[in-house]
Amino acid sequence: QVQLVESGGGLVQAGGSLRPSCAASGRTSSRYVMGWFRQAPGKEREFVAASTWSGGRMYYADSVKDRFTISRDNAKNTVYLQMKSLKPEDTAVYYCVAENRGSVFQDYNYWGQGTQVTVSS
């Protein structure tokens, strides 16, 4: 089992930055993919970004490419999402995920509780 706890969400003005983080505990010895999804009110959950254990491969949704950067510190069992040039449409609950099932863009075995990100115009 893997437990994921997000932090670092909040309220920011458009054009600003945030850096939520996600700490993993439990079975942290496995080299699983970790990433982020988000869900805005009234919308379906969508993939945001993911990183392999080594950080050698990273994946991004087209809507956040060039604005968001995923990184991980395996010594701390933590993954980060540096978000820049934020837009009101980035407003959502952001969920940390670990250990993909099949495609890294679709589903994961472990999910955090989520952290709210609100971008005001």
Side-chain angles (χ1 to χ4, degrees), residues 5-115:
V5 178
E6 304 97 334
S7 61
L11 173 63
V12 65
Q13 288 188 332
S17 300
L18 278 175
R19 190 190 186 217
S21 61
C22 170
S25 60
R27 184 171 55 83
T28 58
S29 60
S30 299
R31 299 187 174 191
Y32 39 71
V33 171
M34 292 186 72
W36 296 86
F37 278 67
R38 68 185 181 185
Q39 187 166 22
K43 295 188 177 181
E44 292 190 354
R45 186 178 65 196
E46 64 175 355
F47 170 83
V48 176
S51 171
T52 56
W53 184 87
S54 67
R57 294 201 69 175
M58 289 173 280
Y59 307 84
Y60 296 96
D62 288 342
S63 59
V64 306
K65 204 171 293 184
D66 299 327
R67 297 188 300 122
F68 291 9
T69 302
I70 188 170
S71 62
R72 56 193 297 174
D73 182 341
N74 292 325
K76 297 181 179 179
N77 300 314
T78 299
V79 65
Y80 305 93
L81 186 66
Q82 177 67 57
M83 306 189 293
K84 298 180 179 179
S85 302
L86 283 161
K87 305 174 182 180
E89 50 263 44
D90 293 317
T91 295
V93 177
Y94 283 71
Y95 297 93
C96 177
V97 295
E99 194 172 81
N100 59 301
R101 293 190 283 188
S103 168
V104 300
F105 300 102
Q106 293 185 336
D107 201 9
Y108 287 72
N109 285 327
Y110 302 102
W111 294 74
Q113 293 298 308
T115 186

